[in-house]
Each structure stands twice: as C-alpha cells, then as structure tokens.
Short mmCIF file of all heavy atoms in Angstrom, two decimals:
data_model
loop_
_atom_site.label_atom_id
_atom_site.label_comp_id
_atom_site.label_asym_id
_atom_site.label_seq_id
_atom_site.Cartn_x
_atom_site.Cartn_y
_atom_site.Cartn_z
N ALA P 1 -10.73 -64.23 70.84
CA ALA P 1 -9.68 -63.24 70.71
C ALA P 1 -10.35 -61.78 70.62
O ALA P 1 -9.68 -60.87 71.14
CB ALA P 1 -8.88 -63.54 69.51
N THR P 2 -11.43 -61.72 70.03
CA THR P 2 -12.07 -60.40 69.84
C THR P 2 -12.33 -59.80 71.21
O THR P 2 -12.22 -58.52 71.32
CB THR P 2 -13.39 -60.51 69.06
OG1 THR P 2 -13.09 -61.10 67.73
CG2 THR P 2 -14.02 -59.17 68.78
N LYS P 3 -12.78 -60.69 72.10
CA LYS P 3 -13.22 -60.03 73.41
C LYS P 3 -11.84 -59.46 74.07
O LYS P 3 -11.95 -58.48 74.72
CB LYS P 3 -13.75 -61.11 74.33
CG LYS P 3 -14.10 -60.69 75.66
CD LYS P 3 -14.72 -61.77 76.56
CE LYS P 3 -15.12 -61.21 77.88
NZ LYS P 3 -15.64 -62.15 78.74
N LEU P 4 -10.80 -60.17 73.97
CA LEU P 4 -9.45 -59.64 74.42
C LEU P 4 -9.15 -58.30 73.88
O LEU P 4 -8.67 -57.40 74.64
CB LEU P 4 -8.39 -60.68 74.24
CG LEU P 4 -8.49 -62.02 75.01
CD1 LEU P 4 -7.36 -62.94 74.49
CD2 LEU P 4 -8.40 -61.75 76.45
N TRP P 5 -9.21 -58.12 72.60
CA TRP P 5 -8.98 -56.90 71.96
C TRP P 5 -9.98 -55.79 72.45
O TRP P 5 -9.61 -54.64 72.76
CB TRP P 5 -9.01 -56.99 70.48
CG TRP P 5 -7.93 -57.70 69.77
CD1 TRP P 5 -8.06 -58.82 69.09
CD2 TRP P 5 -6.62 -57.34 69.80
NE1 TRP P 5 -6.74 -59.32 68.62
CE2 TRP P 5 -5.91 -58.37 69.12
CE3 TRP P 5 -5.73 -56.46 70.38
CZ2 TRP P 5 -4.48 -58.45 68.99
CZ3 TRP P 5 -4.42 -56.37 70.30
CH2 TRP P 5 -3.73 -57.34 69.53
N GLN P 6 -11.25 -56.17 72.63
CA GLN P 6 -12.28 -55.18 73.01
C GLN P 6 -12.00 -54.66 74.46
O GLN P 6 -12.26 -53.54 74.79
CB GLN P 6 -13.66 -55.69 72.97
CG GLN P 6 -14.16 -55.86 71.59
CD GLN P 6 -15.48 -56.55 71.45
OE1 GLN P 6 -15.88 -57.25 72.23
NE2 GLN P 6 -16.21 -56.26 70.35
N GLU P 7 -11.32 -55.49 75.23
CA GLU P 7 -11.00 -55.09 76.63
C GLU P 7 -9.94 -54.01 76.71
O GLU P 7 -9.81 -53.30 77.62
CB GLU P 7 -10.58 -56.30 77.45
CG GLU P 7 -11.68 -57.24 77.72
CD GLU P 7 -11.27 -58.54 78.37
OE1 GLU P 7 -10.05 -58.66 78.60
OE2 GLU P 7 -12.16 -59.34 78.74
N LYS P 8 -9.27 -53.75 75.59
CA LYS P 8 -8.24 -52.74 75.48
C LYS P 8 -8.85 -51.31 75.25
O LYS P 8 -8.10 -50.34 75.40
CB LYS P 8 -7.21 -53.08 74.38
CG LYS P 8 -6.36 -54.35 74.73
CD LYS P 8 -5.28 -54.45 73.68
CE LYS P 8 -4.28 -55.50 74.10
NZ LYS P 8 -3.46 -55.17 75.22
N ILE P 9 -10.09 -51.23 74.87
CA ILE P 9 -10.65 -50.00 74.74
C ILE P 9 -10.48 -49.10 75.94
O ILE P 9 -10.76 -49.47 77.01
CB ILE P 9 -12.20 -50.04 74.38
CG1 ILE P 9 -12.35 -50.92 73.13
CG2 ILE P 9 -12.83 -48.72 74.18
CD1 ILE P 9 -11.67 -50.33 71.83
N GLY P 10 -10.08 -47.74 75.69
CA GLY P 10 -9.78 -46.82 76.81
C GLY P 10 -8.33 -46.89 77.28
O GLY P 10 -7.87 -45.98 77.91
N SER P 11 -7.59 -47.84 76.76
CA SER P 11 -6.16 -47.96 77.14
C SER P 11 -5.23 -47.04 76.38
O SER P 11 -5.56 -46.68 75.25
CB SER P 11 -5.58 -49.38 76.88
OG SER P 11 -6.30 -50.35 77.66
N VAL P 12 -4.23 -46.49 77.03
CA VAL P 12 -3.17 -45.84 76.30
C VAL P 12 -2.04 -46.61 76.05
O VAL P 12 -1.45 -47.30 76.94
CB VAL P 12 -2.76 -44.55 77.21
CG1 VAL P 12 -1.65 -43.85 76.53
CG2 VAL P 12 -4.05 -43.52 77.41
N VAL P 13 -1.74 -46.77 74.74
CA VAL P 13 -0.78 -47.71 74.24
C VAL P 13 0.22 -46.99 73.23
O VAL P 13 -0.06 -45.97 72.70
CB VAL P 13 -1.34 -49.02 73.67
CG1 VAL P 13 -2.18 -49.78 74.61
CG2 VAL P 13 -2.21 -48.47 72.48
N ASP P 14 1.39 -47.71 72.92
CA ASP P 14 2.26 -47.25 71.96
C ASP P 14 1.88 -47.97 70.69
O ASP P 14 1.71 -49.11 70.61
CB ASP P 14 3.71 -47.51 72.29
CG ASP P 14 4.21 -46.63 73.46
OD1 ASP P 14 3.87 -45.50 73.39
OD2 ASP P 14 4.95 -47.15 74.28
N VAL P 15 1.86 -47.19 69.51
CA VAL P 15 1.54 -47.81 68.22
C VAL P 15 2.67 -47.38 67.25
O VAL P 15 3.02 -46.25 67.25
CB VAL P 15 0.19 -47.25 67.76
CG1 VAL P 15 -0.11 -47.58 66.25
CG2 VAL P 15 -0.88 -47.68 68.56
N LEU P 16 3.12 -48.36 66.44
CA LEU P 16 4.02 -48.09 65.40
C LEU P 16 3.31 -47.54 64.28
O LEU P 16 2.46 -48.37 63.60
CB LEU P 16 4.83 -49.30 65.06
CG LEU P 16 5.82 -49.18 63.87
CD1 LEU P 16 6.81 -48.06 64.12
CD2 LEU P 16 6.44 -50.42 63.49
N CYS P 17 3.43 -46.32 63.84
CA CYS P 17 2.82 -45.76 62.71
C CYS P 17 3.64 -45.99 61.50
O CYS P 17 4.76 -45.59 61.37
CB CYS P 17 2.64 -44.17 62.95
SG CYS P 17 1.65 -43.87 64.45
N TYR P 18 2.95 -46.67 60.42
CA TYR P 18 3.76 -47.19 59.29
C TYR P 18 3.30 -46.83 57.98
O TYR P 18 3.96 -47.00 56.88
CB TYR P 18 3.97 -48.71 59.47
CG TYR P 18 2.79 -49.50 59.17
CD1 TYR P 18 2.44 -49.90 57.93
CD2 TYR P 18 1.99 -49.80 60.24
CE1 TYR P 18 1.30 -50.67 57.72
CE2 TYR P 18 0.79 -50.64 60.06
CZ TYR P 18 0.55 -51.01 58.80
OH TYR P 18 -0.61 -51.79 58.58
N SER P 19 2.07 -46.26 57.86
CA SER P 19 1.46 -46.01 56.53
C SER P 19 0.41 -44.94 56.63
O SER P 19 -0.16 -44.71 57.65
CB SER P 19 0.91 -47.33 56.03
OG SER P 19 0.29 -47.09 54.68
N ARG P 20 0.20 -44.30 55.53
CA ARG P 20 -0.99 -43.36 55.45
C ARG P 20 -2.20 -44.23 55.14
O ARG P 20 -2.12 -45.26 54.38
CB ARG P 20 -0.77 -42.39 54.21
CG ARG P 20 0.40 -41.38 54.55
CD ARG P 20 0.00 -40.48 55.75
NE ARG P 20 1.27 -39.75 56.04
CZ ARG P 20 1.59 -39.56 57.31
NH1 ARG P 20 1.01 -39.96 58.37
NH2 ARG P 20 2.78 -38.75 57.52
N SER P 21 -3.30 -43.82 55.55
CA SER P 21 -4.50 -44.58 55.37
C SER P 21 -5.26 -44.14 54.05
O SER P 21 -5.25 -42.98 53.73
CB SER P 21 -5.47 -44.31 56.57
OG SER P 21 -6.69 -44.96 56.40
N ASP P 22 -5.86 -45.18 53.44
CA ASP P 22 -6.73 -44.88 52.30
C ASP P 22 -8.21 -45.07 52.67
O ASP P 22 -9.09 -44.84 51.93
CB ASP P 22 -6.44 -45.93 51.15
CG ASP P 22 -6.64 -47.35 51.55
OD1 ASP P 22 -6.89 -47.62 52.71
OD2 ASP P 22 -6.42 -48.17 50.69
N LYS P 23 -8.38 -45.17 54.04
CA LYS P 23 -9.71 -45.25 54.57
C LYS P 23 -10.17 -43.89 54.88
O LYS P 23 -9.55 -43.09 55.67
CB LYS P 23 -9.77 -46.11 55.89
CG LYS P 23 -11.12 -46.46 56.37
CD LYS P 23 -11.03 -47.48 57.50
CE LYS P 23 -12.38 -48.02 57.85
NZ LYS P 23 -12.35 -49.07 58.81
N LYS P 24 -11.42 -43.50 54.38
CA LYS P 24 -11.91 -42.15 54.53
C LYS P 24 -12.04 -41.73 56.03
O LYS P 24 -12.58 -42.48 56.80
CB LYS P 24 -13.26 -42.09 53.84
CG LYS P 24 -13.85 -40.55 53.87
CD LYS P 24 -15.16 -40.54 53.07
CE LYS P 24 -15.62 -39.16 53.14
NZ LYS P 24 -16.86 -38.97 52.34
N GLY P 25 -11.53 -40.59 56.32
CA GLY P 25 -11.64 -40.01 57.60
C GLY P 25 -10.35 -40.39 58.57
O GLY P 25 -10.33 -39.96 59.65
N PHE P 26 -9.51 -41.13 58.02
CA PHE P 26 -8.31 -41.51 58.80
C PHE P 26 -7.05 -41.21 58.04
O PHE P 26 -7.01 -41.44 56.81
CB PHE P 26 -8.36 -42.99 59.06
CG PHE P 26 -9.51 -43.35 60.03
CD1 PHE P 26 -10.67 -43.84 59.47
CD2 PHE P 26 -9.51 -43.04 61.33
CE1 PHE P 26 -11.82 -44.12 60.24
CE2 PHE P 26 -10.65 -43.31 62.18
CZ PHE P 26 -11.76 -43.82 61.65
N GLY P 27 -6.06 -40.69 58.70
CA GLY P 27 -4.73 -40.29 58.09
C GLY P 27 -3.63 -41.21 58.19
O GLY P 27 -2.78 -41.25 57.31
N THR P 28 -3.66 -42.03 59.21
CA THR P 28 -2.40 -42.88 59.52
C THR P 28 -2.95 -44.25 59.99
O THR P 28 -3.90 -44.45 60.67
CB THR P 28 -1.58 -42.27 60.61
OG1 THR P 28 -1.24 -40.92 60.20
CG2 THR P 28 -0.24 -42.93 60.81
N VAL P 29 -2.12 -45.25 59.58
CA VAL P 29 -2.39 -46.67 59.94
C VAL P 29 -1.10 -47.11 60.84
O VAL P 29 0.03 -46.79 60.50
CB VAL P 29 -2.43 -47.61 58.80
CG1 VAL P 29 -2.68 -49.02 59.20
CG2 VAL P 29 -3.51 -47.14 57.88
N GLY P 30 -1.41 -47.82 61.93
CA GLY P 30 -0.37 -48.29 62.75
C GLY P 30 -0.68 -49.67 63.32
O GLY P 30 -1.81 -50.23 62.94
N ARG P 31 0.22 -50.28 64.11
CA ARG P 31 0.00 -51.57 64.77
C ARG P 31 0.47 -51.50 66.24
O ARG P 31 1.48 -50.90 66.54
CB ARG P 31 0.72 -52.61 64.12
CG ARG P 31 0.22 -52.95 62.68
CD ARG P 31 0.85 -54.23 62.15
NE ARG P 31 0.47 -54.48 60.75
CZ ARG P 31 -0.61 -54.98 60.36
NH1 ARG P 31 -1.54 -55.36 61.20
NH2 ARG P 31 -0.87 -55.16 59.12
N LEU P 32 -0.32 -52.24 67.01
CA LEU P 32 0.10 -52.49 68.35
C LEU P 32 1.12 -53.56 68.34
O LEU P 32 1.31 -54.30 67.29
CB LEU P 32 -1.12 -52.99 69.25
CG LEU P 32 -2.28 -52.09 69.37
CD1 LEU P 32 -3.39 -52.89 69.96
CD2 LEU P 32 -1.88 -50.96 70.27
N SER P 33 1.87 -53.74 69.35
CA SER P 33 2.98 -54.73 69.47
C SER P 33 2.42 -56.15 69.22
O SER P 33 3.09 -57.11 68.75
CB SER P 33 3.83 -54.63 70.79
OG SER P 33 2.87 -54.95 71.86
N GLY P 34 1.21 -56.40 69.59
CA GLY P 34 0.59 -57.68 69.44
C GLY P 34 -0.13 -57.96 68.13
O GLY P 34 -0.70 -59.13 67.92
N GLN P 35 -0.21 -57.05 67.27
CA GLN P 35 -0.86 -57.25 65.95
C GLN P 35 0.10 -57.70 64.81
O GLN P 35 1.01 -56.83 64.48
CB GLN P 35 -1.54 -55.92 65.56
CG GLN P 35 -2.81 -55.50 66.42
CD GLN P 35 -3.39 -54.28 65.96
OE1 GLN P 35 -2.74 -53.19 65.87
NE2 GLN P 35 -4.67 -54.26 65.77
N ALA P 36 -0.14 -58.82 64.34
CA ALA P 36 0.69 -59.35 63.29
C ALA P 36 0.23 -58.98 61.86
O ALA P 36 -1.00 -59.01 61.65
CB ALA P 36 0.77 -60.87 63.35
N PRO P 37 1.09 -58.62 60.97
CA PRO P 37 0.61 -58.25 59.70
C PRO P 37 0.01 -59.43 58.93
O PRO P 37 0.42 -60.67 59.32
CB PRO P 37 2.08 -57.96 58.94
CG PRO P 37 2.88 -57.53 59.95
CD PRO P 37 2.48 -58.40 61.19
N GLU P 38 -0.93 -59.25 58.12
CA GLU P 38 -1.67 -60.34 57.38
C GLU P 38 -2.58 -61.20 58.20
O GLU P 38 -3.28 -62.02 57.67
CB GLU P 38 -0.67 -61.26 56.53
CG GLU P 38 0.35 -60.45 55.74
CD GLU P 38 -0.27 -59.82 54.55
OE1 GLU P 38 -1.28 -60.43 54.00
OE2 GLU P 38 0.17 -58.76 54.13
N VAL P 39 -2.47 -61.04 59.50
CA VAL P 39 -3.32 -61.86 60.46
C VAL P 39 -4.28 -61.00 61.20
O VAL P 39 -5.48 -61.30 61.37
CB VAL P 39 -2.41 -62.73 61.46
CG1 VAL P 39 -3.25 -63.52 62.39
CG2 VAL P 39 -1.48 -63.65 60.64
N ASP P 40 -3.83 -59.94 61.91
CA ASP P 40 -4.66 -59.12 62.81
C ASP P 40 -5.00 -57.86 62.09
O ASP P 40 -4.42 -57.53 61.01
CB ASP P 40 -3.78 -58.83 63.99
CG ASP P 40 -3.58 -60.06 64.96
OD1 ASP P 40 -4.50 -60.86 65.10
OD2 ASP P 40 -2.52 -60.23 65.43
N GLY P 41 -5.88 -57.12 62.69
CA GLY P 41 -6.27 -55.78 62.27
C GLY P 41 -5.15 -54.78 62.49
O GLY P 41 -4.00 -55.14 62.73
N VAL P 42 -5.54 -53.56 62.20
CA VAL P 42 -4.59 -52.40 62.47
C VAL P 42 -5.23 -51.36 63.34
O VAL P 42 -6.35 -51.50 63.87
CB VAL P 42 -4.33 -51.80 61.09
CG1 VAL P 42 -3.56 -52.68 60.18
CG2 VAL P 42 -5.51 -51.25 60.37
N VAL P 43 -4.45 -50.34 63.58
CA VAL P 43 -4.98 -49.16 64.37
C VAL P 43 -5.06 -47.99 63.37
O VAL P 43 -4.10 -47.61 62.72
CB VAL P 43 -3.99 -48.75 65.55
CG1 VAL P 43 -4.54 -47.58 66.24
CG2 VAL P 43 -3.83 -50.00 66.40
N TYR P 44 -6.20 -47.39 63.34
CA TYR P 44 -6.41 -46.19 62.45
C TYR P 44 -6.41 -44.92 63.36
O TYR P 44 -7.17 -44.95 64.32
CB TYR P 44 -7.82 -46.27 61.68
CG TYR P 44 -7.79 -47.32 60.63
CD1 TYR P 44 -8.43 -48.43 60.79
CD2 TYR P 44 -7.29 -46.98 59.39
CE1 TYR P 44 -8.48 -49.45 59.73
CE2 TYR P 44 -7.24 -47.85 58.33
CZ TYR P 44 -7.90 -49.04 58.57
OH TYR P 44 -7.92 -49.91 57.50
N LEU P 45 -5.75 -43.95 62.91
CA LEU P 45 -5.64 -42.63 63.49
C LEU P 45 -6.09 -41.49 62.59
O LEU P 45 -5.75 -41.52 61.38
CB LEU P 45 -4.29 -42.32 64.00
CG LEU P 45 -3.70 -43.32 65.07
CD1 LEU P 45 -2.52 -44.10 64.43
CD2 LEU P 45 -3.39 -42.66 66.31
N LYS P 46 -6.87 -40.57 63.07
CA LYS P 46 -7.33 -39.50 62.25
C LYS P 46 -6.30 -38.53 61.86
O LYS P 46 -6.27 -37.90 60.74
CB LYS P 46 -8.53 -38.74 62.90
CG LYS P 46 -9.68 -39.51 62.98
CD LYS P 46 -10.89 -38.83 63.54
CE LYS P 46 -12.07 -39.77 63.71
NZ LYS P 46 -13.30 -39.00 64.10
N ASP P 47 -5.19 -38.41 62.54
CA ASP P 47 -4.10 -37.49 62.38
C ASP P 47 -3.26 -38.01 61.22
O ASP P 47 -2.62 -39.02 61.27
CB ASP P 47 -3.36 -37.36 63.71
CG ASP P 47 -2.37 -36.09 63.66
OD1 ASP P 47 -2.07 -35.67 62.58
OD2 ASP P 47 -1.92 -35.78 64.72
N ASP P 48 -3.01 -37.10 60.17
CA ASP P 48 -2.20 -37.49 59.04
C ASP P 48 -0.83 -36.81 59.22
O ASP P 48 -0.01 -36.85 58.22
CB ASP P 48 -2.82 -37.23 57.75
CG ASP P 48 -3.11 -35.68 57.46
OD1 ASP P 48 -2.92 -34.93 58.40
OD2 ASP P 48 -3.64 -35.48 56.38
N ARG P 49 -0.54 -36.05 60.28
CA ARG P 49 0.67 -35.43 60.40
C ARG P 49 1.76 -36.16 61.25
O ARG P 49 2.75 -35.78 61.54
CB ARG P 49 0.46 -34.02 61.14
CG ARG P 49 -0.47 -33.12 60.33
CD ARG P 49 -0.89 -31.95 61.05
NE ARG P 49 -1.85 -32.53 62.19
CZ ARG P 49 -2.17 -31.82 63.28
NH1 ARG P 49 -1.65 -30.74 63.58
NH2 ARG P 49 -2.95 -32.41 64.21
N ILE P 50 1.33 -37.38 61.59
CA ILE P 50 2.16 -38.28 62.42
C ILE P 50 3.38 -38.79 61.44
O ILE P 50 3.14 -39.20 60.38
CB ILE P 50 1.37 -39.42 63.05
CG1 ILE P 50 0.37 -38.99 63.98
CG2 ILE P 50 2.36 -40.46 63.68
CD1 ILE P 50 -0.60 -40.00 64.43
N GLN P 51 4.54 -38.66 62.04
CA GLN P 51 5.79 -39.09 61.31
C GLN P 51 5.74 -40.62 61.15
O GLN P 51 5.65 -41.32 62.12
CB GLN P 51 7.01 -38.60 61.95
CG GLN P 51 8.19 -38.92 61.07
CD GLN P 51 9.43 -38.31 61.76
OE1 GLN P 51 9.41 -37.70 62.80
NE2 GLN P 51 10.51 -38.46 61.00
N LEU P 52 5.74 -41.14 59.93
CA LEU P 52 5.78 -42.61 59.73
C LEU P 52 7.06 -43.23 60.19
O LEU P 52 8.24 -42.59 60.20
CB LEU P 52 5.58 -42.96 58.29
CG LEU P 52 4.33 -42.43 57.70
CD1 LEU P 52 4.19 -42.83 56.18
CD2 LEU P 52 3.10 -42.97 58.37
N GLY P 53 6.98 -44.45 60.76
CA GLY P 53 8.18 -45.11 61.25
C GLY P 53 8.43 -44.84 62.67
O GLY P 53 9.35 -45.33 63.33
N GLN P 54 7.61 -44.10 63.33
CA GLN P 54 7.76 -43.70 64.68
C GLN P 54 6.63 -44.36 65.59
O GLN P 54 5.53 -44.63 65.05
CB GLN P 54 7.57 -42.23 64.89
CG GLN P 54 8.68 -41.42 64.11
CD GLN P 54 10.09 -41.64 64.55
OE1 GLN P 54 10.29 -41.66 65.84
NE2 GLN P 54 11.02 -41.90 63.70
N PHE P 55 6.92 -44.43 66.86
CA PHE P 55 5.94 -44.90 67.78
C PHE P 55 5.17 -43.73 68.31
O PHE P 55 5.77 -42.63 68.56
CB PHE P 55 6.61 -45.66 69.01
CG PHE P 55 6.96 -47.04 68.64
CD1 PHE P 55 8.30 -47.29 68.19
CD2 PHE P 55 6.12 -48.09 68.78
CE1 PHE P 55 8.74 -48.68 67.89
CE2 PHE P 55 6.47 -49.44 68.38
CZ PHE P 55 7.79 -49.63 67.98
N LYS P 56 3.88 -43.82 68.37
CA LYS P 56 3.10 -42.78 68.98
C LYS P 56 2.18 -43.35 70.12
O LYS P 56 1.63 -44.35 69.98
CB LYS P 56 2.23 -42.24 67.83
CG LYS P 56 1.34 -41.07 68.18
CD LYS P 56 2.14 -39.79 68.21
CE LYS P 56 1.28 -38.61 68.49
NZ LYS P 56 2.01 -37.41 68.73
N LYS P 57 2.14 -42.50 71.12
CA LYS P 57 1.25 -42.94 72.23
C LYS P 57 -0.21 -42.49 71.92
O LYS P 57 -0.42 -41.40 71.52
CB LYS P 57 1.65 -42.18 73.61
CG LYS P 57 1.12 -42.83 74.79
CD LYS P 57 1.80 -42.43 76.03
CE LYS P 57 3.18 -42.98 76.26
NZ LYS P 57 3.25 -44.49 76.36
N VAL P 58 -1.09 -43.47 72.00
CA VAL P 58 -2.54 -43.22 71.53
C VAL P 58 -3.46 -43.84 72.57
O VAL P 58 -3.14 -44.71 73.37
CB VAL P 58 -2.85 -43.85 70.18
CG1 VAL P 58 -1.86 -43.27 69.12
CG2 VAL P 58 -2.79 -45.30 70.18
N LYS P 59 -4.67 -43.32 72.53
CA LYS P 59 -5.76 -43.92 73.38
C LYS P 59 -6.72 -44.69 72.43
O LYS P 59 -7.20 -44.04 71.37
CB LYS P 59 -6.54 -42.77 74.08
CG LYS P 59 -7.64 -43.43 75.01
CD LYS P 59 -8.36 -42.36 75.80
CE LYS P 59 -9.37 -42.92 76.68
NZ LYS P 59 -10.12 -41.80 77.47
N LEU P 60 -7.00 -45.88 72.67
CA LEU P 60 -7.79 -46.75 71.87
C LEU P 60 -9.22 -46.39 72.12
O LEU P 60 -9.64 -46.45 73.31
CB LEU P 60 -7.56 -48.21 72.19
CG LEU P 60 -6.09 -48.68 71.92
CD1 LEU P 60 -5.88 -50.12 72.29
CD2 LEU P 60 -5.72 -48.50 70.48
N THR P 61 -9.99 -46.04 71.25
CA THR P 61 -11.39 -45.48 71.49
C THR P 61 -12.45 -46.41 71.00
O THR P 61 -13.60 -46.46 71.49
CB THR P 61 -11.61 -44.16 70.88
OG1 THR P 61 -11.34 -44.20 69.44
CG2 THR P 61 -10.73 -43.09 71.51
N LYS P 62 -12.21 -47.23 69.88
CA LYS P 62 -13.20 -48.11 69.32
C LYS P 62 -12.53 -49.36 68.82
O LYS P 62 -11.44 -49.27 68.47
CB LYS P 62 -13.98 -47.46 68.27
CG LYS P 62 -15.00 -46.42 68.65
CD LYS P 62 -15.72 -45.99 67.39
CE LYS P 62 -16.67 -44.88 67.74
NZ LYS P 62 -17.37 -44.34 66.59
N PHE P 63 -13.28 -50.37 68.66
CA PHE P 63 -12.82 -51.70 68.05
C PHE P 63 -13.96 -52.05 67.09
O PHE P 63 -14.99 -52.35 67.43
CB PHE P 63 -12.62 -52.79 69.09
CG PHE P 63 -11.99 -54.00 68.47
CD1 PHE P 63 -10.71 -54.06 68.13
CD2 PHE P 63 -12.86 -55.11 68.35
CE1 PHE P 63 -10.19 -55.23 67.54
CE2 PHE P 63 -12.35 -56.29 67.80
CZ PHE P 63 -11.03 -56.36 67.45
N VAL P 64 -13.65 -52.00 65.72
CA VAL P 64 -14.67 -52.25 64.63
C VAL P 64 -13.98 -53.20 63.68
O VAL P 64 -12.94 -52.90 63.00
CB VAL P 64 -15.05 -50.92 64.08
CG1 VAL P 64 -16.06 -51.18 62.93
CG2 VAL P 64 -15.53 -49.97 64.94
N ASP P 65 -14.58 -54.31 63.51
CA ASP P 65 -14.10 -55.27 62.44
C ASP P 65 -12.72 -55.60 62.44
O ASP P 65 -12.03 -55.56 61.47
CB ASP P 65 -14.48 -54.73 61.05
CG ASP P 65 -16.00 -54.53 60.84
OD1 ASP P 65 -16.78 -55.37 61.39
OD2 ASP P 65 -16.37 -53.65 60.06
N TYR P 66 -12.30 -55.96 63.60
CA TYR P 66 -10.82 -56.38 63.90
C TYR P 66 -9.83 -55.22 63.92
O TYR P 66 -8.64 -55.46 64.07
CB TYR P 66 -10.39 -57.38 62.92
CG TYR P 66 -11.23 -58.63 62.89
CD1 TYR P 66 -12.18 -58.81 61.85
CD2 TYR P 66 -11.08 -59.51 63.89
CE1 TYR P 66 -12.99 -59.97 61.81
CE2 TYR P 66 -11.91 -60.75 63.87
CZ TYR P 66 -12.79 -60.84 62.83
OH TYR P 66 -13.66 -61.99 62.79
N ASP P 67 -10.28 -53.93 63.76
CA ASP P 67 -9.41 -52.74 63.69
C ASP P 67 -9.68 -51.86 64.97
O ASP P 67 -10.86 -51.68 65.41
CB ASP P 67 -9.57 -51.94 62.45
CG ASP P 67 -9.24 -52.81 61.24
OD1 ASP P 67 -8.16 -53.52 61.28
OD2 ASP P 67 -9.84 -52.67 60.18
N PHE P 68 -8.69 -51.14 65.42
CA PHE P 68 -8.87 -50.22 66.36
C PHE P 68 -9.02 -48.75 65.82
O PHE P 68 -8.28 -48.52 64.81
CB PHE P 68 -7.73 -50.27 67.44
CG PHE P 68 -7.72 -51.30 68.43
CD1 PHE P 68 -6.90 -52.38 68.27
CD2 PHE P 68 -8.65 -51.29 69.46
CE1 PHE P 68 -6.93 -53.36 69.19
CE2 PHE P 68 -8.59 -52.26 70.45
CZ PHE P 68 -7.73 -53.34 70.32
N ILE P 69 -9.76 -47.94 66.41
CA ILE P 69 -9.78 -46.51 66.11
C ILE P 69 -9.07 -45.85 67.37
O ILE P 69 -9.47 -46.23 68.51
CB ILE P 69 -11.18 -45.96 65.97
CG1 ILE P 69 -11.96 -46.77 64.98
CG2 ILE P 69 -11.09 -44.48 65.63
CD1 ILE P 69 -11.40 -46.88 63.66
N ALA P 70 -8.13 -44.97 67.14
CA ALA P 70 -7.39 -44.36 68.28
C ALA P 70 -7.18 -42.87 68.07
O ALA P 70 -7.25 -42.37 66.99
CB ALA P 70 -6.04 -45.12 68.46
N GLU P 71 -6.86 -42.19 69.16
CA GLU P 71 -6.60 -40.75 69.23
C GLU P 71 -5.25 -40.59 69.78
O GLU P 71 -4.97 -41.14 70.86
CB GLU P 71 -7.61 -40.03 69.98
CG GLU P 71 -8.99 -40.08 69.53
CD GLU P 71 -10.05 -39.45 70.40
OE1 GLU P 71 -9.57 -39.00 71.57
OE2 GLU P 71 -11.15 -39.40 70.08
N PRO P 72 -4.40 -39.71 69.17
CA PRO P 72 -3.09 -39.44 69.80
C PRO P 72 -3.30 -38.78 71.16
O PRO P 72 -4.31 -37.99 71.31
CB PRO P 72 -2.43 -38.45 68.86
CG PRO P 72 -3.15 -38.70 67.58
CD PRO P 72 -4.55 -39.06 67.93
N VAL P 73 -2.44 -39.02 72.09
CA VAL P 73 -2.55 -38.44 73.42
C VAL P 73 -1.28 -37.46 73.62
O VAL P 73 -0.37 -37.61 72.92
CB VAL P 73 -2.60 -39.35 74.63
CG1 VAL P 73 -3.97 -40.08 74.52
CG2 VAL P 73 -1.52 -40.40 74.55
#
C-alpha cells in the first residue's frame, strides 16, 4: 500500500481540511478521499489560513511515515 501512496507524489488532488495541526511547521491537517480515519495517514499543509471544513486543491510533495506533505495550488 505504501508504494501506491508514494506514486501519488507530484499529483494535484482535493483534500478535505478538517483540523489545525499540532505538528511543528504545519498549520492544517486534511485527508484525501481514500484516507480513512484511524487507519490511514493524513495530509499536512503548512498554510494555517485554510478554512476548515472546506476542500482545498493541493500538490502532494512528500510521503513520510504514512502521511503526505502538500502545498496549496
């Protein structure tokens, strides 16, 4: 499964932004449509100005320990 997620690096996808991040250097936490709570990782975004509860188009830039790092586009 990890290989499948890594193949998404560089893709532009929609992410549901649902929480502020407590991880240093990141402002928002979201999920891809295929990421299940309690099972899969999350998507971390550095931008903390994103409105929660909204979908945001992002570019996936890294995959680390089951989580994606992404940048808004």
Side-chain angles (χ1 to χ4, degrees):
T2 301
K3 183 178 178 186
L4 293 174
W5 288 119
Q6 288 176 335
E7 290 175 357
K8 291 189 174 288
I9 299 300
S11 299
V12 174
V13 296
D14 289 320
V15 169
L16 175 61
C17 299
Y18 69 90
S19 178
R20 295 293 172 222
S21 175
D22 58 359
K23 190 170 186 173
K24 186 176 180 176
F26 299 97
T28 306
V29 179
R31 289 193 189 278
L32 298 170
S33 62
Q35 289 180 309
E38 308 291 327
V39 176
D40 293 314
V42 296
V43 179
Y44 287 103
L45 298 118
K46 293 185 179 187
D47 193 342
D48 63 356
R49 298 168 292 161
I50 296 171
Q51 187 175 3
L52 299 181
Q54 301 291 317
F55 284 93
K56 183 75 177 172
K57 196 165 288 296
V58 302
K59 181 176 183 179
L60 302 174
T61 58
K62 288 185 182 177
F63 184 75
V64 180
D65 297 330
Y66 303 102
D67 298 321
F68 283 106
I69 309 299
E71 299 173 354
V73 292

